[in-house]
Amino acid sequence: MGYCEAEDDRIIFVTKEDHEAPSKAELIADDPNDPYEEQGLILPNGDINWNCPCLGGMASGPCGSQFKEAFSCFHYSKEEVKGSECIDHFSSMQECMQKYPDLYPQEEENASQTESSSVPGSDNSAMLSENDSSPSAALDSVSPTDNQTLSSS
Amino acid sequence: MASPQARSRAGWARNSTAWEKRSLRPDRAQSEQAGAKNQPRASRQIPKISPERAGRYQKSAQSEQAGAKNPSTRHESCKYASPTSRKCDRVRVGQDVVGPQDVPGKWRSPRPYLTVTHKHCHTLPPSCSHVNTFNLQTHKNTHHTPKHTLVLVLLPRELTHSRTLEMLPSHAPYLLIGGGTASFAAARSIRARDPGAKVLIVTDEPDLPYMRPPLSKELWFSDDPSVTETLRFKQWNGKERSIYFQPPSFYIDPEHLTGAENGGVAVLVNKKVVHMDVRGNKVKLDDGTEISYEKCLIATGGVPRNLQVIERAGEEVMKRTSLFRKIEDFKSLENVSRKAESITIIGGGFLGSELACALGRKAAESGLEVVQMFPEKGNMGKVLPEYLSNWTTEKVKKEGVKVITEALVKSVSYRDDKLEIQLKDGRLVKTDHIVAAVGLEPNVDLAKSAGLEVDSDFGGYRVNAELQARSNIWVAGDAACFYDIRLGRRRVEHHDHAVVSGRLAGENMTGASKPYWHQSMFWSDLGPDVGYEAIGIVDSSLPTVGVFAKATAKDTPKAATEKSGTGIRSESETEDTAASPVASAAPAPAVENKDEYGKGVIFYLRDKVVVGIILWNVFNRMPIARKIIKDGEEHADLNEVAKLFNIHED
């Protein structure tokens, strides 16, 4: 390790070996109930966080209402085939999205389908990965126009 | 309301006592806009007809004799009651009042008309609601004009051939003033939380909301010669996208906002809010239109500053000086960079340094000379500790930029087809074009009419931890001087802050009552060797501790072989720096490993607590940095904290 002092600016050089031992720094344990903490797609109480940056423009765009209805239906579905009662919601979402081809491109996302492929009416790109609170690949491809911006920069 | 002197200390400029005293006319933004529009529209003096009643209309003002001259044509009289002016008491509607010679265009008789006998009218009474079916067009007539009489001529909708003013909603549940990143983020947040929310964004720019960082970053590195038109760039993940957050189809037409079943976001472009009535929950636009709101966001950003010596230097100098903030500024500077032989950037901060590197890169191909000058000793001197600032300057020079440090501009003149920049120490720089990147003046034009407080230290509207200024009014982005519960009162001029604060404001406008909690970050890249991300308060006047990765044989095999012998460097690292090899077009990693400040983490301390962190060529570690700032704990050994960042890993 090398040290260097220049007035109020201290410089430390470290090799990889210097930093191999685990850190002794103590961090405060995260409060899982911090009411203000940024949340992922699914809130601790199991609800959907519509303001998750991972949703990009999905919840706020012109098909936001339809999207919310469809996704809520699926998320809270207790059917044996999850979401099987949501076909109508999904088709009205689909219908809306087809009116905005530049907002909701319909191609190129087959590869990124997650569990949604088993859900009726979800054979479009708008399905979300249920058990993931981070941006899903499917979602990324649904809303390529701006989801990157609000989450990464 | 702070005095201009107080405001000049704001934000970025706080430490820049070395700069020329700035010219800070509070009315600057407004006068610029008026200047751009040139002819003041006569409609500004016109009594306002409530648009929801007046229907879709065009208007321009007319002070006219017609109504008075043709009393017989009046067929209805409406009592007028103005909330702001008792003087305005009569509105008359009639037909065939203006001769064809008075009216340009496709007018023909008979024409309905409307007379208002005083100037300060705002709404029509319900009995005048039949105006709905007409377009409204007025014009100025200087002859035979009785004083204080204004005439609006109503035309059936089909008679108007062009629509210069669209029908504006008279009420917006959510009104967002400003069309930048903060507004867009708020709109999205509001829409996500309030299903069916109707959001109206009013912006004085001609464009739909777009992100500004690429204007000084990625767009300059595009291979596409038509980039000034496409405004598309490659993101860090390789995907191409537009600088616009959303294509036009994302938004709904302002005319359709009121009736939109599922709500939506509408953008009113080229309109400036000039007055705010806080008690009445309404604003007035520069064309006189009034819009009432339930919740309002002020996200007016700011106006780039200029140097007073340039403003005083006359038209020829001003003509060859750019300020940089908007799409138009990018297009115009891009154009200049194709023609000029020499461009000088004044300013050593984020914008100045990024533009210098961007232009320097271009210069390598075109032979353009790029000069960057600033009062500090090195690039980013107000942000980076001095050693790192100096090191960065060497990198900027390698990008083809002639950097002139400790440069104080004494005067600028135009002579023999060149700009001459005279520095206080006697140095003289000749150039073709100047880009002044000397900071931003937060736009607080509405403070006076709204009675909002402007922070005397940082500038910007003073808001609480929830970004609220008054009931129903929030402020976000560059214009907000907010209370950060952890780090104290701040004002932040960064893209991510606009995102974070806009989003938070949107949440609070829909009832979240959340304080500023999630720290925003920012990033900057200066050439291939310098890329960093930062969070918290990064101010070079604070003491810092920098922990950098020392190159070893193990992690830089290539460097080790080149160095003939040991891969472990000597303790006197500084000598190496001075002799740092002039890089050819070597790939970034190889260069990086030869330089001792290649990778690391820098902690900024206030009262021994870490208040800011820079991740220097270390990426994807922001959550750790955010956690340390959030904890706000004093750490005995910051080297141990640095371990958490695994700075030797990719």
Side-chain angles (χ1 to χ4, degrees), chain A residues 1-4 6-31 34-39 49-53 55-66 68 99-100 102-104 140-141 143-153, chain B residues 184-185 187-189 191-196 211 235-237 239 241 244-247 249-250 262 265 385-387 495-496 499 503 507 513-515 517-518 521 523 542-550 552 554-555 571 573-574 596-597 627-628 630-631 633 635 639-644 647-649:
Chain A
M1 243 185 305
Y3 290 94
C4 175
E7 292 179 29
D8 282 336
D9 296 318
R10 189 167 166 228
I11 306 166
I12 305 170
F13 292 101
V14 291
T15 62
K16 197 170 183 175
E17 291 70 32
D18 291 332
H19 266 196
E20 239 161 25
S23 170
K24 291 181 192 125
E26 289 177 16
L27 298 182
I28 298 173
D30 275 324
D31 173 7
D34 182 340
Y36 304 135
E37 198 44 66
E38 290 283 294
Q39 302 290 349
N49 174 17
W50 296 119
N51 203 25
C52 178
L55 286 177
M58 290 298 283
S60 53
C63 301
S65 303
Q66 292 87 341
K68 284 179 175 178
K99 286 189 234 160
Y100 302 93
D102 52 343
L103 292 179
Y104 307 98
D140 191 49
S141 61
S143 185
T145 45
D146 73 347
N147 60 9
Q148 213 49 260
T149 307
L150 291 190
S151 59
S152 73
S153 47
Chain B
F184 179 79
R188 187 137 86 171
S189 180
R191 289 276 303 158
R193 290 171 48 88
D194 180 357
M211 55 189 79
Q235 298 181 104
W236 57 274
N237 60 5
K239 278 189 189 167
R241 66 157 295 154
Y244 292 99
F245 289 111
Q246 291 284 359
S249 55
F250 178 85
N262 290 322
V265 183
E386 194 175 316
Y387 65 92
H495 173 80
D496 187 56
V499 173
R503 191 160 173 267
E507 288 180 272
S513 305
K514 256 173 81 172
W517 199 252
H518 177 82
M521 51 84 76
W523 77 101
L542 295 171
T544 65
V545 174
V547 181
F548 294 91
K550 189 194 292 193
T552 64
K554 206 170 166 185
D555 57 13
E571 290 295 322
E573 300 282 348
T574 38
E596 55 199 310
Y597 301 124
K627 170 69 177 151
I628 289 159
K630 183 185 175 186
D631 282 0
E633 292 287 290
H635 290 278
N639 189 28
E640 290 298 322
V641 179
K643 281 183 181 176
L644 299 169
I647 57 176
H648 294 88
E649 310 294 324

Side-chain angles (χ1 to χ4, degrees), chain B residues 204-329:
Chain B
D204 60 1
E205 287 193 59
D207 299 291
L208 292 172
Y210 62 91
M211 55 189 79
R212 300 188 197 278
L215 299 180
S216 63
K217 297 179 166 89
E218 292 91 343
L219 289 182
W220 291 95
F221 302 113
S222 168
D223 304 325
D224 185 348
S226 61
V227 65
T228 52
E229 296 310 314
T230 66
L231 298 174
R232 293 183 70 82
F233 67 96
K234 263 208 182 80
Q235 298 181 104
W236 57 274
N237 60 5
K239 278 189 189 167
E240 199 185 79
R241 66 157 295 154
S242 159
I243 69 168
Y244 292 99
F245 289 111
Q246 291 284 359
S249 55
F250 178 85
Y251 304 96
I252 64 175
D253 193 324
E255 296 175 42
H256 301 143
L257 184 64
T258 306
E261 189 192 345
N262 290 322
V265 183
V267 184
L268 207 49
V269 296
N270 288 318
K271 290 274 182 287
K272 190 177 171 71
V273 174
V274 294
H275 187 274
M276 190 161 195
D277 174 0
V278 171
R279 193 162 167 220
N281 291 307
K282 62 187 179 184
V283 301
K284 193 193 279 182
L285 308 188
D286 51 358
D287 64 8
T289 311
E290 283 194 346
I291 302 174
S292 58
Y293 58 80
E294 282 154 43
K295 310 282 178 190
C296 179
L297 175 73
I298 301 176
T300 46
V303 180
R305 295 193 181 112
N306 199 348
L307 293 179
Q308 218 173 38
V309 287
I310 293 177
E311 287 182 331
R312 280 204 235 102
E315 197 189 336
E316 293 296 327
V317 173
M318 281 296 278
K319 247 167 46 185
R320 292 165 177 81
T321 301
S322 298
L323 303 178
F324 199 90
R325 171 93 173 156
K326 302 176 177 180
I327 288 176
E328 277 317 303
D329 303 329

